[in-house]
Amino acid sequence: MVQTLNTFLESNLNELKDNGLYNEIDIVEGANGAEITIGGKQYINLSSNNYLGLATNEDLKKAAKDAIDSHGVGAGAVRTINGTLDLHKELEETLAQFKGTESAIAYQSGFNCNMAAISAVMNKHDAILSDELNHASIIDGCRLSKAKIIRVNHSDMEDLRNKAKEAVESGQYNKVMYITDGVFSMDGDVAKLPEIVEIAEEFGLITYVDDAHGSGVMGKGAGTVKHFGLQDKIDFQIGTLSKAIGVVGGYVAGTKDLIDWLKVASRPFLFSTSLAPGDTKAITESVKKLMASTELHDKLWDNANYLKEGLKAKGFDIGHSETPITPVIIGEEKKAQTFSKRLMDEGVYAKAIVFPTVPRGTGRVRNMPTAAHTKEQLDKAIDIYEKIGKELGLI
Ligand SMILES: *Cc1c(COP(=O)(O)O)cnc(C)c1O
């Protein structure tokens, strides 16, 4: 290895390790279900995004296997050469129906979606107003577009209004867009979409909502935009197919013209091989399931409310989440990490989240209940929480 690279890697890795910031990745032995096995030990799993338990659903598994039998394991090409299979067409029609839009386009991941869609529409003559807590893939997608990026204080509608006014009245930009997560993943709060739409209409902003944590969870399963009945008012509805949907991939839903443009102008669509047949069919099956019944959605919310009430009754500070995402706010960073470690010792897998991911002094353990958990599992988790909470003087 050349010396310059060697020095770079060694010094950066050592710095992380010296500061206790080097992340050792846990290997899950088997499925990422309500319980997981790591290093031969079983844990109640409160860390997955598998909200509806669909990652291990028997119907989805069968759909994937059948599609592998009929179409193989790979799509064989990028979408624009001959990697668009009938399965992709069926998926995109189903996604448009699910989101209540004219059309939809599927990508290989939610991350890819933000890389693809923002820079296909925005360029250096434009400005993007972006909520300061937006996901990393939105931040990277904005940078790739070369548009002027204007950070907006988190869910602060007055700040949005002022900055939108300033950007539009400056006359410097051809187009101005506002981008927000639908559901924010660290606190579980929901974007104020009705006010956002009002401001967007006043100033002529393009609206872009990444609902990765909202689909399957909000709006009876159809997402945060549907929750507020704003399908006709939001220009870009983005999401992932890897969280509640349970598989992998991402999508944009919008007007036919928007999707037609993304199919000719978005680079991950043009230059990266499409979703594999098994995944594609499993996703379609998953979305159809969500449209047919709210059973899993209802179970998720029932479990989420049960866990929240249980933790609150024990005296924990669970923040102000409006979704199943359940943070237990600990405060000091080290203490949050110790708390998470002790939970693991006792058989609960829930990760500490600390500065810089969340503000200093608001270190927390984040819990993700799912439809797949049983009340017994949640009761056991709450009891373990109580034990550690007392041990660390938190309750
Ligand atoms: C998780 C997430 C993504 C990434 O989705 P993947 O399909 O896992 O790549 C994008 N945006 C937001 C807001 C997310 O929470």
Side-chain angles (χ1 to χ4, degrees), residues 109-154:
S109 76
F111 200 106
N112 232 354
C113 220
N114 285 322
M115 292 293 111
I118 302 170
S119 58
V121 171
M122 304 302 278
N123 60 44
K124 65 179 183 199
H125 304 296
D126 300 323
I128 302 172
L129 299 152
S130 176
D131 187 286
E132 63 180 337
L133 295 189
N134 278 345
H135 189 260
S137 58
I138 296 177
I139 296 168
D140 287 6
C142 289
R143 286 182 185 150
L144 192 61
S145 77
K146 298 196 173 70
K148 167 80 179 169
I149 300 164
I150 303 166
R151 265 166 67 112
V152 177
N153 295 339
H154 176 53

mmCIF file of all heavy atoms in Angstrom, residues 109-154:
data_model
loop_
_atom_site.group_PDB
_atom_site.id
_atom_site.type_symbol
_atom_site.label_atom_id
_atom_site.label_comp_id
_atom_site.label_asym_id
_atom_site.label_seq_id
_atom_site.Cartn_x
_atom_site.Cartn_y
_atom_site.Cartn_z
ATOM 1 N N SER A 109 -32.433 1.685 -3.952
ATOM 2 C CA SER A 109 -32.499 1.941 -2.503
ATOM 3 C C SER A 109 -33.081 3.328 -2.280
ATOM 4 O O SER A 109 -33.148 4.144 -3.211
ATOM 5 C CB SER A 109 -31.100 1.875 -1.866
ATOM 6 O OG SER A 109 -30.366 3.039 -2.172
ATOM 7 N N GLY A 110 -33.475 3.593 -1.045
ATOM 8 C CA GLY A 110 -33.944 4.933 -0.698
ATOM 9 C C GLY A 110 -32.811 5.941 -0.810
ATOM 10 O O GLY A 110 -33.014 7.075 -1.247
ATOM 11 N N PHE A 111 -31.636 5.532 -0.423
ATOM 12 C CA PHE A 111 -30.466 6.413 -0.511
ATOM 13 C C PHE A 111 -30.247 6.829 -1.971
ATOM 14 O O PHE A 111 -30.083 8.006 -2.296
ATOM 15 C CB PHE A 111 -29.229 5.669 0.028
ATOM 16 C CG PHE A 111 -28.107 6.587 0.431
ATOM 17 C CD1 PHE A 111 -27.823 6.823 1.762
ATOM 18 C CD2 PHE A 111 -27.323 7.216 -0.526
ATOM 19 C CE1 PHE A 111 -26.787 7.675 2.143
ATOM 20 C CE2 PHE A 111 -26.293 8.068 -0.164
ATOM 21 C CZ PHE A 111 -26.017 8.301 1.167
ATOM 22 N N ASN A 112 -30.279 5.825 -2.855
ATOM 23 C CA ASN A 112 -30.119 6.053 -4.281
ATOM 24 C C ASN A 112 -31.170 7.000 -4.847
ATOM 25 O O ASN A 112 -30.901 7.803 -5.732
ATOM 26 C CB ASN A 112 -30.271 4.702 -4.987
ATOM 27 C CG ASN A 112 -29.121 4.424 -5.906
ATOM 28 O OD1 ASN A 112 -28.270 5.280 -6.098
ATOM 29 N ND2 ASN A 112 -29.092 3.251 -6.469
ATOM 30 N N CYS A 113 -32.367 6.864 -4.335
ATOM 31 C CA CYS A 113 -33.495 7.682 -4.761
ATOM 32 C C CYS A 113 -33.192 9.172 -4.569
ATOM 33 O O CYS A 113 -33.442 9.977 -5.461
ATOM 34 C CB CYS A 113 -34.621 7.315 -3.802
ATOM 35 S SG CYS A 113 -36.157 7.191 -4.502
ATOM 36 N N ASN A 114 -32.649 9.514 -3.414
ATOM 37 C CA ASN A 114 -32.329 10.915 -3.154
ATOM 38 C C ASN A 114 -31.132 11.375 -3.993
ATOM 39 O O ASN A 114 -31.078 12.530 -4.412
ATOM 40 C CB ASN A 114 -32.073 11.143 -1.660
ATOM 41 C CG ASN A 114 -33.368 11.144 -0.868
ATOM 42 O OD1 ASN A 114 -34.392 11.660 -1.344
ATOM 43 N ND2 ASN A 114 -33.357 10.570 0.323
ATOM 44 N N MET A 115 -30.196 10.469 -4.264
ATOM 45 C CA MET A 115 -29.085 10.784 -5.175
ATOM 46 C C MET A 115 -29.645 11.081 -6.561
ATOM 47 O O MET A 115 -29.139 11.926 -7.288
ATOM 48 C CB MET A 115 -28.139 9.579 -5.315
ATOM 49 C CG MET A 115 -27.360 9.213 -4.100
ATOM 50 S SD MET A 115 -26.184 10.492 -3.706
ATOM 51 C CE MET A 115 -26.929 11.055 -2.253
ATOM 52 N N ALA A 116 -30.690 10.317 -6.929
ATOM 53 C CA ALA A 116 -31.221 10.362 -8.288
ATOM 54 C C ALA A 116 -32.134 11.559 -8.524
ATOM 55 O O ALA A 116 -31.963 12.310 -9.483
ATOM 56 C CB ALA A 116 -32.002 9.074 -8.552
ATOM 57 N N ALA A 117 -33.099 11.726 -7.633
ATOM 58 C CA ALA A 117 -34.236 12.607 -7.952
ATOM 59 C C ALA A 117 -33.900 14.092 -7.799
ATOM 60 O O ALA A 117 -34.337 14.912 -8.602
ATOM 61 C CB ALA A 117 -35.422 12.237 -7.065
ATOM 62 N N ILE A 118 -33.117 14.434 -6.773
ATOM 63 C CA ILE A 118 -32.863 15.857 -6.521
ATOM 64 C C ILE A 118 -32.036 16.450 -7.666
ATOM 65 O O ILE A 118 -32.395 17.475 -8.258
ATOM 66 C CB ILE A 118 -32.159 16.062 -5.155
ATOM 67 C CG1 ILE A 118 -33.020 15.477 -4.021
ATOM 68 C CG2 ILE A 118 -31.889 17.551 -4.909
ATOM 69 C CD1 ILE A 118 -32.323 15.397 -2.668
ATOM 70 N N SER A 119 -30.951 15.744 -8.024
ATOM 71 C CA SER A 119 -30.054 16.306 -9.044
ATOM 72 C C SER A 119 -30.616 16.178 -10.462
ATOM 73 O O SER A 119 -30.092 16.788 -11.385
ATOM 74 C CB SER A 119 -28.671 15.668 -8.952
ATOM 75 O OG SER A 119 -28.782 14.280 -9.107
ATOM 76 N N ALA A 120 -31.682 15.392 -10.634
ATOM 77 C CA ALA A 120 -32.312 15.327 -11.964
ATOM 78 C C ALA A 120 -33.135 16.580 -12.232
ATOM 79 O O ALA A 120 -33.440 16.891 -13.385
ATOM 80 C CB ALA A 120 -33.199 14.090 -12.064
ATOM 81 N N VAL A 121 -33.482 17.300 -11.161
ATOM 82 C CA VAL A 121 -34.394 18.437 -11.313
ATOM 83 C C VAL A 121 -33.738 19.763 -10.916
ATOM 84 O O VAL A 121 -34.033 20.800 -11.493
ATOM 85 C CB VAL A 121 -35.672 18.177 -10.472
ATOM 86 C CG1 VAL A 121 -36.547 19.403 -10.414
ATOM 87 C CG2 VAL A 121 -36.456 17.000 -11.068
ATOM 88 N N MET A 122 -32.832 19.717 -9.923
ATOM 89 C CA MET A 122 -32.249 20.959 -9.404
ATOM 90 C C MET A 122 -30.802 21.097 -9.891
ATOM 91 O O MET A 122 -30.093 20.100 -10.047
ATOM 92 C CB MET A 122 -32.272 20.952 -7.873
ATOM 93 C CG MET A 122 -33.668 20.739 -7.288
ATOM 94 S SD MET A 122 -34.884 21.967 -7.814
ATOM 95 C CE MET A 122 -34.512 23.297 -6.672
ATOM 96 N N ASN A 123 -30.367 22.351 -10.129
ATOM 97 C CA ASN A 123 -28.983 22.572 -10.573
ATOM 98 C C ASN A 123 -28.431 23.864 -9.967
ATOM 99 O O ASN A 123 -29.060 24.451 -9.082
ATOM 100 C CB ASN A 123 -28.921 22.582 -12.101
ATOM 101 C CG ASN A 123 -29.795 23.675 -12.690
ATOM 102 O OD1 ASN A 123 -29.805 24.807 -12.203
ATOM 103 N ND2 ASN A 123 -30.557 23.330 -13.722
ATOM 104 N N LYS A 124 -27.296 24.296 -10.448
ATOM 105 C CA LYS A 124 -26.585 25.409 -9.794
ATOM 106 C C LYS A 124 -27.330 26.748 -9.876
ATOM 107 O O LYS A 124 -26.958 27.704 -9.204
ATOM 108 C CB LYS A 124 -25.165 25.545 -10.362
ATOM 109 C CG LYS A 124 -25.119 25.931 -11.809
ATOM 110 C CD LYS A 124 -23.690 26.065 -12.302
ATOM 111 C CE LYS A 124 -23.712 26.530 -13.741
ATOM 112 N NZ LYS A 124 -22.511 26.301 -14.484
ATOM 113 N N HIS A 125 -28.353 26.830 -10.679
ATOM 114 C CA HIS A 125 -29.136 28.068 -10.761
ATOM 115 C C HIS A 125 -30.330 28.048 -9.805
ATOM 116 O O HIS A 125 -31.151 28.965 -9.828
ATOM 117 C CB HIS A 125 -29.638 28.270 -12.192
ATOM 118 C CG HIS A 125 -28.545 28.284 -13.205
ATOM 119 N ND1 HIS A 125 -27.572 29.262 -13.229
ATOM 120 C CD2 HIS A 125 -28.237 27.416 -14.202
ATOM 121 C CE1 HIS A 125 -26.714 29.006 -14.206
ATOM 122 N NE2 HIS A 125 -27.092 27.887 -14.806
ATOM 123 N N ASP A 126 -30.413 26.986 -8.971
ATOM 124 C CA ASP A 126 -31.566 26.798 -8.092
ATOM 125 C C ASP A 126 -31.155 26.856 -6.625
ATOM 126 O O ASP A 126 -29.964 26.849 -6.305
ATOM 127 C CB ASP A 126 -32.206 25.435 -8.361
ATOM 128 C CG ASP A 126 -32.692 25.285 -9.795
ATOM 129 O OD1 ASP A 126 -33.191 26.282 -10.360
ATOM 130 O OD2 ASP A 126 -32.557 24.179 -10.349
ATOM 131 N N ALA A 127 -32.160 26.887 -5.736
ATOM 132 C CA ALA A 127 -31.893 26.830 -4.292
ATOM 133 C C ALA A 127 -32.763 25.750 -3.651
ATOM 134 O O ALA A 127 -33.896 25.504 -4.084
ATOM 135 C CB ALA A 127 -32.187 28.175 -3.644
ATOM 136 N N ILE A 128 -32.190 25.088 -2.636
ATOM 137 C CA ILE A 128 -32.941 24.073 -1.893
ATOM 138 C C ILE A 128 -32.980 24.450 -0.424
ATOM 139 O O ILE A 128 -31.931 24.614 0.219
ATOM 140 C CB ILE A 128 -32.301 22.664 -2.033
ATOM 141 C CG1 ILE A 128 -32.215 22.258 -3.506
ATOM 142 C CG2 ILE A 128 -33.109 21.650 -1.242
ATOM 143 C CD1 ILE A 128 -31.426 20.968 -3.731
ATOM 144 N N LEU A 129 -34.188 24.628 0.102
ATOM 145 C CA LEU A 129 -34.384 24.816 1.531
ATOM 146 C C LEU A 129 -34.488 23.422 2.135
ATOM 147 O O LEU A 129 -35.282 22.598 1.659
ATOM 148 C CB LEU A 129 -35.677 25.598 1.782
ATOM 149 C CG LEU A 129 -35.723 27.009 1.175
ATOM 150 C CD1 LEU A 129 -37.146 27.417 0.863
ATOM 151 C CD2 LEU A 129 -35.069 27.997 2.115
ATOM 152 N N SER A 130 -33.671 23.142 3.175
ATOM 153 C CA SER A 130 -33.591 21.775 3.685
ATOM 154 C C SER A 130 -33.664 21.770 5.208
ATOM 155 O O SER A 130 -32.884 22.467 5.869
ATOM 156 C CB SER A 130 -32.270 21.153 3.197
ATOM 157 O OG SER A 130 -32.082 19.868 3.717
ATOM 158 N N ASP A 131 -34.590 21.006 5.762
ATOM 159 C CA ASP A 131 -34.697 20.903 7.221
ATOM 160 C C ASP A 131 -33.362 20.400 7.778
ATOM 161 O O ASP A 131 -32.763 19.474 7.245
ATOM 162 C CB ASP A 131 -35.826 19.947 7.615
ATOM 163 C CG ASP A 131 -36.098 19.944 9.126
ATOM 164 O OD1 ASP A 131 -35.278 19.376 9.889
ATOM 165 O OD2 ASP A 131 -37.117 20.532 9.537
ATOM 166 N N GLU A 132 -32.926 21.008 8.881
ATOM 167 C CA GLU A 132 -31.583 20.687 9.402
ATOM 168 C C GLU A 132 -31.461 19.237 9.875
ATOM 169 O O GLU A 132 -30.347 18.735 10.005
ATOM 170 C CB GLU A 132 -31.202 21.636 10.547
ATOM 171 C CG GLU A 132 -32.117 21.514 11.757
ATOM 172 C CD GLU A 132 -31.737 22.463 12.883
ATOM 173 O OE1 GLU A 132 -30.574 22.886 12.946
ATOM 174 O OE2 GLU A 132 -32.627 22.781 13.697
ATOM 175 N N LEU A 133 -32.573 18.560 10.132
ATOM 176 C CA LEU A 133 -32.490 17.173 10.586
ATOM 177 C C LEU A 133 -32.743 16.161 9.469
ATOM 178 O O LEU A 133 -32.944 14.977 9.720
ATOM 179 C CB LEU A 133 -33.456 16.923 11.755
ATOM 180 C CG LEU A 133 -33.175 17.684 13.048
ATOM 181 C CD1 LEU A 133 -34.082 17.175 14.176
ATOM 182 C CD2 LEU A 133 -31.712 17.572 13.476
ATOM 183 N N ASN A 134 -32.730 16.634 8.229
ATOM 184 C CA ASN A 134 -32.957 15.705 7.114
ATOM 185 C C ASN A 134 -31.907 14.601 7.072
ATOM 186 O O ASN A 134 -30.765 14.782 7.496
ATOM 187 C CB ASN A 134 -32.959 16.464 5.778
ATOM 188 C CG ASN A 134 -34.305 17.103 5.487
ATOM 189 O OD1 ASN A 134 -35.315 16.770 6.123
ATOM 190 N ND2 ASN A 134 -34.327 18.026 4.544
ATOM 191 N N HIS A 135 -32.317 13.463 6.521
ATOM 192 C CA HIS A 135 -31.464 12.267 6.408
ATOM 193 C C HIS A 135 -30.204 12.538 5.567
ATOM 194 O O HIS A 135 -30.221 13.351 4.652
ATOM 195 C CB HIS A 135 -32.298 11.161 5.747
ATOM 196 C CG HIS A 135 -31.653 9.822 5.754
ATOM 197 N ND1 HIS A 135 -30.994 9.310 4.660
ATOM 198 C CD2 HIS A 135 -31.555 8.886 6.725
ATOM 199 C CE1 HIS A 135 -30.537 8.097 4.951
ATOM 200 N NE2 HIS A 135 -30.873 7.812 6.202
ATOM 201 N N ALA A 136 -29.142 11.815 5.877
ATOM 202 C CA ALA A 136 -27.849 11.968 5.191
ATOM 203 C C ALA A 136 -27.977 11.869 3.669
ATOM 204 O O ALA A 136 -27.290 12.585 2.929
ATOM 205 C CB ALA A 136 -26.870 10.916 5.697
ATOM 206 N N SER A 137 -28.866 10.988 3.189
ATOM 207 C CA SER A 137 -28.996 10.820 1.734
ATOM 208 C C SER A 137 -29.614 12.050 1.079
ATOM 209 O O SER A 137 -29.329 12.350 -0.083
ATOM 210 C CB SER A 137 -29.824 9.570 1.405
ATOM 211 O OG SER A 137 -31.103 9.641 1.996
ATOM 212 N N ILE A 138 -30.426 12.788 1.817
ATOM 213 C CA ILE A 138 -30.981 14.041 1.286
ATOM 214 C C ILE A 138 -29.862 15.077 1.200
ATOM 215 O O ILE A 138 -29.715 15.783 0.196
ATOM 216 C CB ILE A 138 -32.126 14.572 2.185
ATOM 217 C CG1 ILE A 138 -33.293 13.579 2.192
ATOM 218 C CG2 ILE A 138 -32.584 15.953 1.722
ATOM 219 C CD1 ILE A 138 -34.446 13.978 3.099
ATOM 220 N N ILE A 139 -29.068 15.140 2.254
ATOM 221 C CA ILE A 139 -27.957 16.104 2.283
ATOM 222 C C ILE A 139 -27.006 15.826 1.116
ATOM 223 O O ILE A 139 -26.626 16.742 0.380
ATOM 224 C CB ILE A 139 -27.229 16.025 3.646
ATOM 225 C CG1 ILE A 139 -28.194 16.451 4.763
ATOM 226 C CG2 ILE A 139 -25.969 16.884 3.648
ATOM 227 C CD1 ILE A 139 -27.711 16.147 6.162
ATOM 228 N N ASP A 140 -26.662 14.563 0.896
ATOM 229 C CA ASP A 140 -25.760 14.211 -0.206
ATOM 230 C C ASP A 140 -26.410 14.485 -1.563
ATOM 231 O O ASP A 140 -25.753 14.954 -2.487
ATOM 232 C CB ASP A 140 -25.338 12.738 -0.113
ATOM 233 C CG ASP A 140 -24.349 12.495 1.023
ATOM 234 O OD1 ASP A 140 -24.086 13.438 1.794
ATOM 235 O OD2 ASP A 140 -23.844 11.365 1.140
ATOM 236 N N GLY A 141 -27.697 14.174 -1.679
ATOM 237 C CA GLY A 141 -28.416 14.429 -2.934
ATOM 238 C C GLY A 141 -28.443 15.917 -3.261
ATOM 239 O O GLY A 141 -28.270 16.314 -4.418
ATOM 240 N N CYS A 142 -28.640 16.742 -2.236
ATOM 241 C CA CYS A 142 -28.631 18.206 -2.426
ATOM 242 C C CYS A 142 -27.256 18.663 -2.906
ATOM 243 O O CYS A 142 -27.144 19.459 -3.846
ATOM 244 C CB CYS A 142 -28.976 18.924 -1.126
ATOM 245 S SG CYS A 142 -30.699 18.748 -0.637
ATOM 246 N N ARG A 143 -26.202 18.154 -2.266
ATOM 247 C CA ARG A 143 -24.835 18.553 -2.645
ATOM 248 C C ARG A 143 -24.545 18.188 -4.094
ATOM 249 O O ARG A 143 -23.957 18.959 -4.840
ATOM 250 C CB ARG A 143 -23.816 17.850 -1.742
ATOM 251 C CG ARG A 143 -23.769 18.440 -0.353
ATOM 252 C CD ARG A 143 -22.714 17.727 0.473
ATOM 253 N NE ARG A 143 -22.731 18.214 1.845
ATOM 254 C CZ ARG A 143 -22.394 17.478 2.904
ATOM 255 N NH1 ARG A 143 -21.996 16.228 2.743
ATOM 256 N NH2 ARG A 143 -22.437 17.998 4.106
ATOM 257 N N LEU A 144 -24.984 16.994 -4.492
ATOM 258 C CA LEU A 144 -24.730 16.505 -5.847
ATOM 259 C C LEU A 144 -25.384 17.411 -6.896
ATOM 260 O O LEU A 144 -24.864 17.567 -7.997
ATOM 261 C CB LEU A 144 -25.295 15.077 -5.950
ATOM 262 C CG LEU A 144 -24.916 14.238 -7.146
ATOM 263 C CD1 LEU A 144 -23.409 14.022 -7.207
ATOM 264 C CD2 LEU A 144 -25.630 12.885 -7.074
ATOM 265 N N SER A 145 -26.497 18.030 -6.536
ATOM 266 C CA SER A 145 -27.224 18.864 -7.503
ATOM 267 C C SER A 145 -26.520 20.186 -7.785
ATOM 268 O O SER A 145 -26.793 20.837 -8.782
ATOM 269 C CB SER A 145 -28.628 19.156 -6.975
ATOM 270 O OG SER A 145 -28.572 20.160 -5.965
ATOM 271 N N LYS A 146 -25.630 20.603 -6.900
ATOM 272 C CA LYS A 146 -24.908 21.890 -6.981
ATOM 273 C C LYS A 146 -25.820 23.108 -6.753
ATOM 274 O O LYS A 146 -25.407 24.247 -6.941
ATOM 275 C CB LYS A 146 -24.150 22.041 -8.303
ATOM 276 C CG LYS A 146 -23.068 20.987 -8.514
ATOM 277 C CD LYS A 146 -22.130 21.428 -9.630
ATOM 278 C CE LYS A 146 -20.938 20.499 -9.775
ATOM 279 N NZ LYS A 146 -21.307 19.173 -10.326
ATOM 280 N N ALA A 147 -27.052 22.869 -6.345
ATOM 281 C CA ALA A 147 -27.936 23.994 -6.008
ATOM 282 C C ALA A 147 -27.448 24.643 -4.704
ATOM 283 O O ALA A 147 -26.722 23.999 -3.929
ATOM 284 C CB ALA A 147 -29.364 23.494 -5.834
ATOM 285 N N LYS A 148 -27.834 25.890 -4.472
ATOM 286 C CA LYS A 148 -27.531 26.549 -3.203
ATOM 287 C C LYS A 148 -28.358 25.865 -2.103
ATOM 288 O O LYS A 148 -29.584 25.723 -2.234
ATOM 289 C CB LYS A 148 -27.913 28.027 -3.314
ATOM 290 C CG LYS A 148 -27.941 28.778 -2.013
ATOM 291 C CD LYS A 148 -26.564 29.180 -1.584
ATOM 292 C CE LYS A 148 -26.620 29.955 -0.264
ATOM 293 N NZ LYS A 148 -25.280 30.138 0.306
ATOM 294 N N ILE A 149 -27.683 25.416 -1.033
ATOM 295 C CA ILE A 149 -28.404 24.724 0.041
ATOM 296 C C ILE A 149 -28.630 25.691 1.200
ATOM 297 O O ILE A 149 -27.683 26.290 1.709
ATOM 298 C CB ILE A 149 -27.617 23.487 0.530
ATOM 299 C CG1 ILE A 149 -27.422 22.498 -0.640
ATOM 300 C CG2 ILE A 149 -28.346 22.802 1.691
ATOM 301 C CD1 ILE A 149 -26.360 21.455 -0.400
ATOM 302 N N ILE A 150 -29.881 25.853 1.590
ATOM 303 C CA ILE A 150 -30.228 26.764 2.691
ATOM 304 C C ILE A 150 -30.840 25.921 3.810
ATOM 305 O O ILE A 150 -31.916 25.338 3.647
ATOM 306 C CB ILE A 150 -31.230 27.844 2.210
ATOM 307 C CG1 ILE A 150 -30.639 28.624 1.024
ATOM 308 C CG2 ILE A 150 -31.609 28.780 3.357
ATOM 309 C CD1 ILE A 150 -31.653 29.464 0.259
ATOM 310 N N ARG A 151 -30.112 25.847 4.935
ATOM 311 C CA ARG A 151 -30.598 25.040 6.069
ATOM 312 C C ARG A 151 -31.736 25.743 6.788
ATOM 313 O O ARG A 151 -31.646 26.934 7.089
ATOM 314 C CB ARG A 151 -29.464 24.844 7.070
ATOM 315 C CG ARG A 151 -28.689 23.550 6.895
ATOM 316 C CD ARG A 151 -27.406 23.628 7.688
ATOM 317 N NE ARG A 151 -27.684 23.662 9.133
ATOM 318 C CZ ARG A 151 -27.364 22.665 9.952
ATOM 319 N NH1 ARG A 151 -26.765 21.595 9.489
ATOM 320 N NH2 ARG A 151 -27.619 22.752 11.232
ATOM 321 N N VAL A 152 -32.788 25.011 7.075
ATOM 322 C CA VAL A 152 -33.929 25.577 7.799
ATOM 323 C C VAL A 152 -33.977 24.925 9.183
ATOM 324 O O VAL A 152 -33.809 23.703 9.292
ATOM 325 C CB VAL A 152 -35.247 25.305 7.027
ATOM 326 C CG1 VAL A 152 -36.446 25.820 7.797
ATOM 327 C CG2 VAL A 152 -35.183 25.921 5.636
ATOM 328 N N ASN A 153 -34.195 25.723 10.230
ATOM 329 C CA ASN A 153 -34.296 25.167 11.582
ATOM 330 C C ASN A 153 -35.375 24.089 11.602
ATOM 331 O O ASN A 153 -36.404 24.218 10.930
ATOM 332 C CB ASN A 153 -34.638 26.261 12.600
ATOM 333 C CG ASN A 153 -33.514 27.283 12.726
ATOM 334 O OD1 ASN A 153 -32.364 26.999 12.380
ATOM 335 N ND2 ASN A 153 -33.853 28.471 13.184
ATOM 336 N N HIS A 154 -35.138 23.073 12.443
ATOM 337 C CA HIS A 154 -36.006 21.901 12.417
ATOM 338 C C HIS A 154 -37.485 22.228 12.655
ATOM 339 O O HIS A 154 -37.847 22.768 13.704
ATOM 340 C CB HIS A 154 -35.536 20.880 13.461
ATOM 341 C CG HIS A 154 -36.448 19.698 13.544
ATOM 342 N ND1 HIS A 154 -36.807 18.961 12.437
ATOM 343 C CD2 HIS A 154 -37.097 19.133 14.589
ATOM 344 C CE1 HIS A 154 -37.619 18.000 12.815
ATOM 345 N NE2 HIS A 154 -37.831 18.079 14.103
#
